[in-house]
Amino acid sequence: MACLSPSQLQKFQKDGFLVLEGFLSADECEAMQRRIGEIVAEMDVPLHCRTEFSTQEEEQLRAQGSTDYFLSSGDKIRFFFEKGVFDKQGNFLVPPEKSINKIGHALHAHDPIFRCVTHSPKVQALARSLGLQMPVVVQSMYIFKQPHFGGEGGPAAVTPHQDASFLYTEPLGRVLGLWIALEDAMLENGCLWFIPGSHRGALILIHGEVVHKSERNFSDRSRQAYTFHLMEAAGTVWSPDNWLQPTPELPFPSLYI
């Protein structure tokens, strides 16, 4: 079980993040990596849907906000790419497996491996120890953090931000991010910046309002991670202005299933 101790809970409430080393076993991490390799190998993205991912607000609105491919991805498994990996015709300039920024946003709903991890007894016990009464899974992403792509502030770097800015609730403080390192995360390959580094299988709890970032990957190794967000649904209003919305096909699923 992954229940938090009183001191861990106090630290999370104080700092807005908490690192839990060894949350997943090496076998569990490798199973997720194998499965994502299969998903990438089967990837068939129409030319008009080959969308580059950006964390810069103006570029994000231009590259994503105007595309139905991004805005309708909340209940699907879709692919988002690094900048500069396509020619003007939308053909790959690099091997497809090296071109992907992330896969989102409903791996937790449509893939059995990721559903199993997301709804695992360990995650459920963790949520209960945080006092979550009716947590639902809002979104999930597999992040590749490809080596040698982009500069600071570019698609391979994530500028300081609060998850609650993109996943807005009333009241605030109802969104929780769970970020699971599937490969060693270090300074050289773009670890999260509210810690100096984390290791295989570590899980980081991220309060929706804590500011965090990651730099570009300067190394020749990827820094893969699986991340998903929970929302305490009890007494919470999900903003109708959020880009991500539940759908009739996929209402936000309860974590406790």
Side-chain angles (χ1 to χ4, degrees):
M1 285 298 184
C3 295
L4 297 181
S5 67
S7 61
Q8 287 175 317
L9 186 59
Q10 183 179 24
K11 182 173 177 56
F12 174 65
Q13 293 170 340
K14 175 178 179 289
D15 297 337
F17 68 91
L18 182 68
V19 182
L20 301 177
E21 298 285 2
F23 189 81
L24 295 186
S25 68
D27 288 343
E28 288 173 310
C29 293
E30 289 166 7
M32 296 171 76
Q33 289 178 286
R34 281 196 305 271
R35 179 58 189 141
I36 215 68
E38 295 168 356
I39 291 172
V40 171
E42 298 167 0
M43 177 178 64
D44 182 19
V45 183
L47 287 177
H48 72 278
C49 293
R50 297 190 177 188
T51 301
E52 295 177 345
F53 181 77
S54 172
T55 56
Q56 295 297 298
E57 185 175 1
E58 291 184 3
E59 289 188 13
Q60 186 171 1
L61 290 173
R62 182 169 62 252
Q64 299 173 344
S66 62
T67 65
D68 180 68
Y69 185 76
F70 176 81
L71 293 176
S72 62
S73 65
D75 59 355
K76 302 174 183 69
I77 296 176
R78 287 188 168 169
F79 304 88
F80 302 93
F81 301 92
E82 296 286 2
K83 181 180 286 188
V85 299
F86 299 117
D87 63 19
K88 292 182 179 179
Q89 289 72 45
N91 300 307
F92 286 104
L93 295 172
V94 299
E97 67 273 12
K98 299 294 185 182
S99 69
I100 304 173
N101 177 286
K102 69 174 184 175
I103 298 176
H105 288 91
L107 284 163
H108 64 279
H110 297 308
D111 186 85
I113 296 294
F114 290 95
R115 184 189 304 121
C116 184
V117 170
T118 304
H119 294 275
S120 67
K122 286 186 288 190
V123 171
Q124 292 181 357
L126 181 62
R128 287 191 172 97
S129 71
L130 286 164
L132 300 183
Q133 300 174 24
M134 296 174 56
V136 296
V137 186
V138 171
Q139 68 163 358
S140 57
M141 297 179 287
Y142 193 98
I143 301 171
F144 288 80
K145 200 70 170 182
Q146 302 283 4
H148 301 308
F149 276 106
E152 183 174 349
V158 179
T159 53
H161 66 285
Q162 298 170 297
D163 293 341
S165 298
F166 302 95
L167 306 172
Y168 183 76
T169 62
E170 295 181 3
L172 287 172
R174 299 304 182 98
V175 171
L176 174 72
L178 289 84
W179 189 98
I180 303 172
L182 302 181
E183 298 178 313
D184 288 347
M186 303 165 290
L187 290 172
E188 293 81 6
N189 69 349
C191 64
L192 297 183
W193 262 85
F194 37 55
I195 57 171
S198 59
H199 303 285
R200 179 176 296 276
L203 177 140
I204 303 174
L205 295 178
I206 306 173
H207 191 284
E209 294 169 82
V210 72
V211 176
H212 55 290
K213 71 170 187 175
S214 67
E215 294 288 356
R216 62 171 290 189
N217 185 350
F218 291 96
S219 75
D220 57 1
R221 301 170 55 192
S222 61
R223 188 229 63 190
Q224 296 183 13
Y226 176 59
T227 181
F228 57 96
H229 286 88
L230 303 177
M231 179 186 70
E232 172 58 83
T236 304
V237 176
W238 180 256
S239 174
D241 295 327
N242 288 332
W243 74 267
L244 179 73
Q245 295 294 328
T247 65
E249 294 77 19
L250 183 62
F252 292 155
S254 171
L255 178 70
Y256 300 148
I257 60 172

